[in-house]
Amino acid sequence: MEQLSIHHRTSYHYHDRVRFGPHRLMLRPRENRKLRLLAHDVSCTPAAQLTWAHDVQDNTVATAAFPDASDTLTIESTAELTLDVDQWPVFDIAASAASYPFLLTQEEMTDLGALRLQSYLDSSGQLLAWARSFVDGSGCDTLTLLKNIAAAAAAGMTYGVRDDEHTQTPVQTLSCRSGSCRDFAVLFVDAVRSLGFGARVVSGYLYDPHEAATGSSGAGSTHAWADVYVPGAGWITFDPTNQTVGGHNLIPVAIARNIGQTMPVTGSYVGDERAFSHMQVDVSVSCK
């Protein structure tokens, strides 16, 4: 078990004073059996009134209302938590789902709903063909299949941090053979969905004390990965960028059907469209 401290600072800079519309903040880590949140705080400059709620995926969402104008907006999130996840977990997959293909129950299909539907158009069938290339015609081990797809989602591709806020489509990632962690997560999610799995995108933080993981900046950074539902085991975590399973060094903040629903900070301002100067994000994850 490790006790971690996370500091996430997002700042927006403008050439002139502007007024801010409501901002949606998804910054609070999600607690579970292996992650215990000890403390969490959000502060804003200029000062904001925060109201808290939960969305349909039970993510904690804060809405910030800013009464004052400013030429700078800073949002800071600090969290203290304990993380106790096995590095090499064993998944108790139901016998009925040990080999692919397998049948979900009617209840599982209903509850998974849109999490089994691809988020991006694949009119040429390129993504489906790529996903099916990992399936043995006579059936295959389910966990091995998912591991192979996750490994291939980033293997042989060039990793790069993109300033563009938009995520590539899976077909674009397959074609250009490069992407960021969110691009690889989206590729993996839509690939397994094309095979009938229920899957969701996860965003949060990567804890990398040895600074050896792909997508890491220092000992920690924001990151994106995926969960796949397998009967018996439930939701299994896959990090395609680092080709790992189980999420022993991942701290989830938001889970969603689509990557666009996991943005940590979203909002607007009222002012000249040329007023915006630049944005800066600083994240640190350290062991106490």
Side-chain angles (χ1 to χ4, degrees):
M1 179 184 293
E2 294 187 272
Q3 184 169 339
L4 305 179
S5 177
I6 300 172
H7 182 219
H8 185 163
R9 184 177 188 268
T10 304
S11 57
Y12 300 87
H13 301 268
Y14 302 85
H15 298 297
D16 303 299
R17 288 170 63 85
V18 298
R19 302 199 71 87
F20 304 105
H23 278 57
R24 184 174 186 269
L25 314 180
M26 299 181 70
L27 296 166
R28 181 183 174 90
R30 290 177 61 102
E31 294 187 83
N32 55 50
R33 186 170 60 86
K34 295 292 188 176
L35 189 157
R36 182 185 177 192
L37 188 60
L38 304 177
H40 180 249
D41 182 64
V42 173
S43 61
C44 303
T45 306
Q49 179 180 355
L50 297 178
T51 56
W52 295 87
H54 290 83
D55 66 11
V56 295
Q57 295 286 355
D58 204 31
N59 300 304
T60 301
V61 181
T63 300
F66 299 92
D68 300 323
S70 176
D71 59 2
T72 303
L73 171 61
T74 301
I75 299 170
E76 295 192 71
S77 169
T78 57
E80 305 288 337
L81 57 89
T82 58
L83 188 64
D84 183 18
V85 181
D86 295 334
Q87 186 167 0
W88 308 106
V90 176
F91 303 105
D92 190 18
I93 296 174
S96 60
S99 296
Y100 178 87
F102 58 86
L103 294 176
L104 294 169
T105 66
Q106 185 64 47
E107 288 79 8
E108 288 171 329
M109 288 191 289
T110 299
D111 291 340
L112 289 169
L115 297 179
R116 298 181 65 224
L117 303 178
Q118 293 171 237
S119 291
Y120 298 88
L121 185 65
D122 181 30
S123 56
S124 67
Q126 181 180 351
L127 177 65
L128 177 59
W130 182 78
R132 284 181 173 171
S133 70
F134 298 94
V135 180
D136 188 327
S138 60
C140 56
D141 179 78
T142 298
L143 186 58
T144 299
L145 169 64
L146 293 171
K147 287 181 177 179
N148 289 342
I149 297 175
M157 298 195 186
T158 302
Y159 174 84
V161 177
R162 293 187 297 105
D163 293 331
D164 185 353
E165 65 180 16
H166 299 293
T167 303
Q168 294 173 172
T169 70
V171 171
Q172 286 174 326
T173 301
L174 286 176
S175 298
C176 69
R177 306 294 297 172
S178 65
S180 64
C181 61
R182 53 188 168 154
D183 300 317
F184 299 146
V186 163
L187 169 60
F188 172 72
V189 164
D190 259 23
V192 299
R193 284 175 177 173
S194 75
L195 298 179
F197 289 92
R200 59 194 188 187
V201 181
V202 189
S203 70
Y205 302 103
L206 169 68
Y207 174 52
D208 181 27
H210 304 296
E211 302 185 24
T214 301
S216 176
S217 176
S221 60
T222 56
H223 197 55
W225 60 95
D227 287 343
V228 181
Y229 179 79
V230 181
W235 292 101
I236 301 178
T237 296
F238 293 86
D239 179 4
T241 301
N242 289 291
Q243 302 181 28
T244 60
V245 182
H248 73 280
N249 62 341
L250 301 175
I251 302 158
V253 170
I255 60 174
R257 173 183 53 82
N258 185 282
I259 188 70
Q261 299 169 312
T262 67
M263 296 290 290
V265 179
T266 56
S268 62
Y269 73 89
V270 178
D272 192 302
E273 63 180 7
R274 295 167 296 182
F276 178 73
S277 173
H278 65 281
M279 178 185 75
Q280 182 174 343
V281 178
D282 300 294
V283 175
S284 66
V285 182
S286 58
C287 184
K288 297 194 70 174

